[in-house]
Amino acid sequence: MTVSPLVWVLTLAGILALLAFDYYFHVRSAHVPTLREAAVWSCVYVGIALLFGLGCFVFGGTATGSEYFAGYITEKALSVDNLFVFLIIMTSFRVPRENQQKVLLFGIVFSLIARAGFIFLGSALLNAFSWVFYLFGVTLLLTAGNMLKPQTEESHSAQNLVVRISRRLFRTTDDFDGDRLFTRIDGRRMMTPMVLVMAAIAGTDLMFALDSIPAIFGLTQNVFIVFTATAFSLLGLRQLYFLLDGLLDRLIYLSFGLAAILAFIGAKLILHALHENNLPFVNGGEHVDVAEISTGLSLLVILVVLVVTIMGSLFSTRGRTQTAMAHIRRDAAAYLDSEYTADAGERERIFLRLLAARDHINALGPEARKQVKNEADLMELCRRVADSHAAAHAEHEIRPSL
């Protein structure tokens, strides 16, 4: 499919307009999105992506439409897995709940810019050197191998190389000042911890791009489709974060499904590289007559693997138990942190979620209870939160009479 400069300009203008709309109508005024708000706007952004895909079918044909949807679904699944790391980073830095939207929007914008650069660089390399298909294929196979380890809260750490370097380079205040990057203390202009959070998000975005761009190039080499599928998978990611909050820990098998998808696409890339081969030490520099995997089959495999792994995660006792443990640890830390949020409704929400997680662990049978680590510590956290909650309500009832 040949794309005219006008279509490129209109597409870029539309993406920028959506980002501007997101900022001015949702992010500029710091608040905690309600579940309804997150659900409605997640559906809106997914709907826009689906309509664009239908346009690809109508104006580009079946092959182009299939390539777009295969790329969009793969990138969306990878972005959901990346949200877990964003959650750990913001929890580690104690980012106030109201200000997390700004961090996420920054991450989306930075990711778009970084991935656009990788896309055009990758396209140029693939057009100039066919052996780059081998490189991308091997990269995806190695990434798939690394993802076979379960992705739990303990397997991630916000204190990565980027964060450690940022801490050394940037001297920041101890506390946040709303969502500002800079504040004044004793007349001196200083950076807030928000700078470190955004540096950590930017660093992880770059690492994610190294995985996702080879993956989508394994499904299509059409730069317009690669760019738009990637862009639409990122748009709406902020809303999806708040919608899936509470389910991210539960998707315990998603990393296995993504590993299978990346390995499949890696194999597809290597087969394509063999078909286009011109390396002198492989078959004398001649192409190798191998079967190639169609885009339609790729789309089917991606959908089946994702459905199986997501449903398996949601209905597994292990997934629910792991979610309960993660909720107690994070929700207790958030509730006991006076700076986490000033929204009484948000504090009540995490309190009720913590109680539900506690009740789940208490109701486990002997075999399932073996999965629970440090149960005594978890129950102690629940007790501390319950005491704090009771004290807060008692103080609220006394105040009107004073």
Side-chain angles (χ1 to χ4, degrees):
M1 182 180 74
T2 302
V3 180
S4 68
L6 177 61
V7 173
W8 268 105
V9 170
L10 292 175
T11 302
L12 290 172
I15 291 170
L16 292 174
L18 288 172
L19 289 171
F21 174 84
D22 208 14
Y23 174 75
Y24 282 104
F25 291 94
H26 295 110
V27 176
R28 186 171 59 168
S29 177
H31 70 286
V32 181
T34 63
L35 185 62
R36 183 179 182 277
E37 178 186 342
V40 168
W41 284 105
S42 291
C43 290
V44 168
Y45 279 102
V46 170
I48 292 172
L50 293 179
L51 287 175
F52 188 88
L54 290 177
C56 290
F57 269 112
V58 172
F59 297 104
T62 303
T64 300
S66 298
E67 288 175 355
Y68 169 81
F69 278 112
Y72 173 74
I73 293 170
T74 300
E75 292 296 307
K76 199 70 172 179
L78 287 169
S79 66
V80 169
D81 191 57
N82 298 345
L83 285 180
F84 188 89
V85 183
F86 291 170
L87 175 63
I88 301 301
I89 289 174
M90 286 194 277
T91 301
S92 174
F93 283 105
R94 298 170 57 240
V95 180
R97 186 72 167 175
E98 292 87 345
N99 302 328
Q100 291 180 3
Q101 292 199 93
K102 185 172 185 178
V103 175
L104 289 167
L105 186 60
F106 166 82
I108 290 170
V109 172
F110 183 86
S111 187
L112 268 174
I113 295 171
R115 295 184 192 210
F118 280 122
I119 287 169
F120 290 108
L121 176 62
S123 176
L125 289 173
L126 290 173
N127 288 331
F129 311 104
S130 62
W131 55 263
V132 175
F133 284 109
Y134 286 113
L135 179 62
F136 281 6
V138 171
T139 299
L140 290 182
L141 292 175
L142 292 174
T143 302
N146 290 330
M147 293 187 74
L148 288 176
K149 294 182 289 186
Q151 303 295 299
T152 64
E153 188 174 6
E154 291 78 13
S155 64
H156 291 296
S157 173
Q159 305 301 318
N160 55 30
L161 179 62
V162 175
V163 178
R164 291 197 297 270
I165 292 175
S166 300
R167 286 193 183 277
R168 291 180 180 178
L169 293 178
F170 305 126
R171 292 185 177 273
T172 65
T173 60
D174 294 330
D175 301 315
F176 288 90
D177 184 8
D179 60 0
R180 295 176 181 147
L181 298 178
F182 298 91
T183 188
R184 285 193 176 275
I185 296 181
D186 297 330
R188 294 176 57 196
R189 193 166 186 256
M190 296 185 66
M191 289 181 286
T192 70
M194 189 67 77
V195 174
L196 294 179
V197 177
M198 291 190 170
I201 294 290
T204 52
D205 273 335
L206 285 175
M207 291 185 286
F208 294 151
L210 294 175
D211 296 336
S212 67
I213 297 308
I216 195 169
F217 269 119
L219 298 168
T220 177
Q221 286 81 57
N222 186 314
V223 176
F224 182 75
I225 297 300
V226 171
F227 175 77
T228 52
T230 301
F232 283 114
S233 72
L234 292 172
L235 292 173
L237 198 60
R238 177 186 62 79
Q239 293 85 350
L240 194 62
Y241 173 87
F242 291 97
L243 181 62
L244 293 183
D245 181 29
L247 281 179
L248 290 175
D249 299 286
R250 194 160 171 178
L251 300 176
I252 59 173
Y253 300 126
L254 179 61
S255 58
F256 294 100
L258 290 175
I261 290 171
L262 293 181
F264 173 80
I265 298 174
K268 183 177 186 293
L269 274 169
I270 291 175
L271 288 175
H272 183 73
L274 289 170
H275 190 268
E276 301 290 328
N277 177 65
N278 58 11
L279 294 178
F281 52 86
V282 177
N283 197 37
E286 299 295 326
H287 82 278
V288 181
D289 191 14
V290 293
E292 292 205 69
I293 302 171
S294 68
T295 303
L297 178 59
S298 300
L299 179 58
L300 178 62
V301 169
I302 291 166
L303 286 172
V304 169
V305 170
L306 285 177
V307 169
V308 170
T309 53
I310 290 174
M311 297 305 291
S313 297
L314 294 178
F315 288 101
S316 76
T317 300
R318 180 186 167 196
R320 291 194 295 272
T321 301
Q322 181 171 297
T323 302
M325 291 188 294
H327 281 180
I328 290 175
R329 285 192 296 269
R330 273 205 299 270
D331 291 345
Y335 192 91
L336 296 172
D337 183 356
S338 60
E339 297 181 359
Y340 170 71
T341 180
D343 188 330
E346 171 65 10
R347 292 181 67 81
E348 189 69 16
R349 182 188 73 84
I350 61 175
F351 174 72
L352 294 176
R353 190 169 70 173
L354 181 141
L355 292 186
R358 181 198 64 183
D359 293 343
H360 170 80
I361 291 178
N362 287 335
L364 289 174
E367 287 300 316
R369 191 173 290 274
K370 294 177 182 178
Q371 302 172 17
V372 181
K373 299 177 181 177
N374 303 320
E375 182 178 353
D377 294 339
L378 294 176
M379 293 302 108
E380 173 61 19
L381 282 173
C382 291
R383 186 193 63 77
R384 288 175 58 195
V385 171
D387 290 346
S388 177
H389 186 266
H393 276 256
E395 182 183 354
H396 179 73
E397 290 174 0
I398 292 172
R399 268 183 190 167
S401 64
L402 294 178

